[in-house]
Amino acid sequence: MKYRSWLRFIVEAVEGFGVLLLAFSTWPLSKRWLKHWGSSAEERQRGWPGDDLVSSPHDTYTRAIDIDASPL
């Protein structure tokens, strides 16, 4: 087993805490961006299958992608 110094252990702990803090501090911005990623305003307003299963949703997420292909 390789010996690790206490200094290295402390440096890695501080580094990990910094990365965690950065991730949590940017979550409000990234959540807003990811919430409706790729969808248009019209797609967010229309009804989708399964919407009738939840009477009043707490939060909604609508994501979409465009595929440039002809239908079969």
Side-chain angles (χ1 to χ4, degrees):
M1 187 163 102
K2 187 175 179 183
Y3 175 75
R4 297 176 80 175
S5 70
W6 280 101
L7 179 62
R8 181 175 174 149
F9 178 76
I10 292 171
V11 168
E12 288 178 353
V14 169
E15 179 184 11
F17 183 73
V19 170
L20 188 64
L21 185 64
L22 180 66
F24 279 122
S25 66
T26 59
W27 177 246
L29 296 174
S30 60
K31 181 181 177 187
R32 185 176 177 194
W33 177 71
L34 289 171
K35 190 173 180 179
H36 303 299
W37 178 61
S39 63
S40 66
E42 187 269 325
E43 290 171 327
R44 291 189 292 266
Q45 296 300 322
R46 68 185 270 197
W48 293 97
D51 285 351
D52 56 337
L53 299 175
V54 179
S55 59
S56 59
H58 175 68
D59 209 358
T60 59
Y61 289 79
T62 304
R63 298 179 181 144
I65 58 169
D66 293 326
I67 299 175
D68 188 20
S70 60
L72 296 177

